Amino acid sequence: MRSDRLVAILLMLQRREQVTAAEVAEELEVSERTARRDLDALGMAGIPIYSVQGRGGGWRLLGGARTDLSGLTVGEARALFLVAGPAAAATPEVKAALRKLVRALPETFRAQAEAAAASLVVDSRRWNSPDTADAHPPRFLAVLQDAVIRGVQVRFGYIDAAGNETERTVHPLGIVAKGPSWYLVAHTDTGQRTFRIDRVTAITATDHPVARPDGFDLARSWRQVTDDADRLHTPVEVRATCAPEGLEYLRAALGDNLDIGTAGTDGRIAVVFRGPSEYGLAGHLAGLVEWLEISSPQGVIDHLATIGAALTDRYGPPEHPAARH
């Protein structure tokens, strides 16, 4: 279910005493079947809406929360904003709608609703290395997200990448879903750290408040984490230009690991991408030399020349005997 539709439906329910699937479908330009599915999904997510059967029926908010959504409990308000407002996924229009919805909530709910909307980043891109995480949400995900929203420190047992288990007290700042893996971004005594949630072995929430760094933004912080990881695992940066007709082949070869710039006066497009080694990149790109012209680093260019010479030597046409005299 699209988060912008969810917010739009809640705002419709806020403005009107009752809506029908047909009215939702017309306003949101979707089919009635999609509208019914979205309305059902709202109820399954914990939002207090219910259907009125029969002629003149439709969907209503429990408690008659037509103007102030007073029918929402604090937990239900959090559920709504968790679904509707992942920090990296919400569009500007959705964020604007969420701000309107926050103003409609009872004042005592607003802080946790806003915290819920900012507590989660969804990063659909997988790491370059194989990810062995379980596809199911990890055991302590809900406890950690609750701590993020309530702004309290936690103590947990943790097994690091080397297999060592330690106990730590951290200040939870946000949760990130990256592919099948879940991460906690937290402030610690040694600075900001990222923890894989499936490596947490036990957890206890404390009553001590989180010390949140001034100006902290989860989406921006996570971009820095992934940029640093990319530089660590793919230290070689290649700069090149690509002919327009070869750009789709380059995208297919490099996927998300490709930054596309602007076209020059000759029509060729500036591109930048990274890889783990100069030789590995040269081998990966050798089949694209018809469209790709690399400007740096020199090591990749030299490896391409060596690969080209070896290919010509092995697969080129046999030398004519007359050429020997």
Side-chain angles (χ1 to χ4, degrees):
M1 179 179 177
R2 288 171 55 98
S3 59
D4 51 354
R5 291 208 309 267
L6 182 151
V7 174
I9 293 170
L10 261 293
L11 290 174
M12 286 177 67
L13 286 164
Q14 180 190 354
R15 293 194 307 269
R16 310 176 190 182
E17 187 169 333
Q18 177 175 294
V19 298
T20 66
E23 290 169 341
V24 171
E26 181 179 2
E27 181 152 335
L28 302 186
E29 298 181 345
V30 296
S31 68
E32 284 194 38
R33 181 179 179 183
T34 297
R36 287 192 199 92
R37 188 167 62 241
D38 288 352
L39 287 159
D40 286 336
L42 278 172
M44 292 175 64
I47 308 306
I49 68 172
Y50 67 100
S51 61
V52 178
Q53 301 299 320
R55 180 173 296 185
W59 294 81
R60 297 186 179 190
L61 279 167
L62 190 65
R66 184 170 60 85
T67 58
D68 64 359
L69 292 179
S70 58
L72 289 173
T73 66
V74 63
E76 290 161 346
R78 281 172 47 172
L80 165 63
F81 279 78
L82 278 171
V83 177
T91 65
E93 293 79 11
V94 171
K95 290 178 179 177
L98 286 171
R99 285 194 294 271
K100 294 177 184 177
L101 197 55
V102 164
R103 291 195 291 271
L105 288 171
E107 188 172 353
T108 54
F109 295 179
R110 292 177 190 173
Q112 288 201 23
E114 290 178 314
S119 70
L120 176 67
V121 160
V122 178
D123 183 353
S124 59
R125 299 173 302 167
R126 292 173 176 261
W127 298 112
N128 290 327
S129 58
D131 202 322
T132 58
D134 193 327
H136 300 289
R139 178 182 172 190
F140 296 109
L141 174 62
V143 178
L144 284 168
Q145 190 148 40
D146 180 71
V148 171
I149 295 169
R150 292 194 297 119
V152 296
Q153 299 176 40
V154 296
R155 288 191 301 272
F156 59 68
Y158 188 75
I159 299 176
D160 64 21
N164 303 311
E165 184 168 3
T166 57
E167 186 173 286
R168 313 160 186 248
T169 298
V170 303
H171 301 244
L173 301 175
I175 304 290
V176 176
K178 184 171 179 66
S181 300
W182 293 84
Y183 295 87
L184 170 70
V185 178
H187 180 66
T188 72
D189 292 339
T190 56
Q192 186 176 305
R193 295 290 182 269
T194 302
F195 302 93
R196 267 183 59 155
I197 297 177
D198 60 350
R199 291 180 178 163
V200 175
T201 58
I203 189 166
T204 303
T206 75
D207 295 326
H208 303 299
V210 163
R212 194 175 183 86
D214 291 339
F216 176 80
D217 178 88
L218 180 60
R220 184 170 61 245
S221 176
W222 182 250
R223 282 196 297 272
Q224 185 62 53
V225 170
T226 56
D227 287 348
D228 291 345
D230 286 343
R231 291 188 185 94
L232 179 64
H233 294 104
T234 56
V236 181
E237 181 179 272
V238 174
R239 294 185 174 273
T241 57
C242 184
E245 58 270 25
L247 198 58
E248 288 305 313
Y249 295 101
L250 193 61
R251 281 199 187 100
L254 298 170
D256 292 330
N257 187 28
L258 175 66
D259 291 327
I260 300 172
T262 57
T265 55
D266 60 354
R268 296 180 67 86
I269 301 162
V271 294
V272 179
F273 47 90
R274 306 183 69 87
S277 70
E278 292 181 344
Y279 180 78
L281 278 167
H284 197 51
L285 301 171
L288 302 174
V289 293
E290 180 180 352
W291 307 286
L292 197 64
E293 183 175 347
I294 295 173
S295 55
S296 69
Q298 186 61 42
V300 173
I301 298 171
D302 292 342
H303 283 305
L304 278 169
T306 300
I307 292 170
L311 287 170
T312 300
D313 183 56
R314 175 161 296 186
Y315 299 109
E319 187 179 1
H320 195 281
R324 300 174 184 169
H325 302 286

